[in-house]
Amino acid sequence: MARLLLILALVATVFWVYTIVDCAVQPPSRHRGVSKGAWMAIVILLPVLGGVLWFVIGRGRAGGKPVVRRAPDDDPEFLGRMTASARAEQDERIRRLEEELAQLDSEADDPQPPKKPSDPDDPSGKGDDDTRGQRGAVG
């Protein structure tokens, strides 16, 4: 009889440690009922009963509701939270950016400044700024 009690105590201890570790490593989103800290207290203070309760009630299923991530403009909650002032501010910013873009486009349409006249003594027709000041130098 003592051997049976020793084996049961060993099994209960292993089960208790396993439930503590399992409860601790689960993300808080997978804890049902109460918070993660409360489940840890239940599992630690009620060794076997707390473990059974954890596996029956508290542990959420892995194949539960999947998390759906959406872009902000596809999320109705986000769009509902946007205030009219935020929308007006965004519209004003878009208007200013469009004006700046139109201004840059008009500057690009302006003719380029005239090129410097080429040196008639230069056979290549290209002006070289480095040699112009050195013509009269002896060297």
Side-chain angles (χ1 to χ4, degrees):
M1 184 70 175
R3 287 183 183 171
L4 181 63
L5 287 176
L6 187 61
I7 290 173
L8 286 175
L10 181 64
V11 169
T13 304
V14 168
F15 178 72
W16 183 54
V17 170
Y18 178 77
T19 55
I20 291 172
V21 171
D22 187 56
C23 184
V25 298
Q26 294 295 327
S29 62
R30 296 227 5 231
H31 288 73
R32 290 188 294 180
V34 294
S35 68
K36 183 175 184 173
W39 273 116
M40 289 296 297
I42 291 169
V43 169
I44 291 170
L45 296 175
L46 304 170
V48 176
L49 182 61
V52 171
L53 288 173
W54 164 248
F55 283 109
V56 173
I57 299 172
R59 188 171 192 227
R61 295 191 176 142
K65 182 180 169 185
V67 176
V68 178
R69 298 184 188 249
R70 297 182 190 167
D73 58 344
D74 293 337
D75 188 3
E77 292 177 14
F78 175 78
L79 294 175
R81 286 191 310 253
M82 280 187 66
T83 62
S85 63
R87 288 181 186 163
E89 182 180 318
Q90 185 178 15
D91 290 342
E92 176 63 24
R93 183 170 183 252
I94 290 172
R95 186 189 61 77
R96 279 187 280 127
L97 289 173
E98 287 176 347
E99 286 176 0
E100 289 177 18
L101 182 62
Q103 183 182 7
L104 289 173
D105 283 343
S106 68
E107 288 175 2
D109 293 340
D110 291 343
Q112 296 294 327
K115 294 181 182 180
K116 294 180 182 178
S118 60
D119 188 9
D121 296 335
D122 187 8
S124 67
K126 298 179 184 176
D128 189 8
D129 293 339
D130 294 338
T131 59
R132 287 187 182 187
Q134 298 176 0
R135 284 190 188 164
V138 178

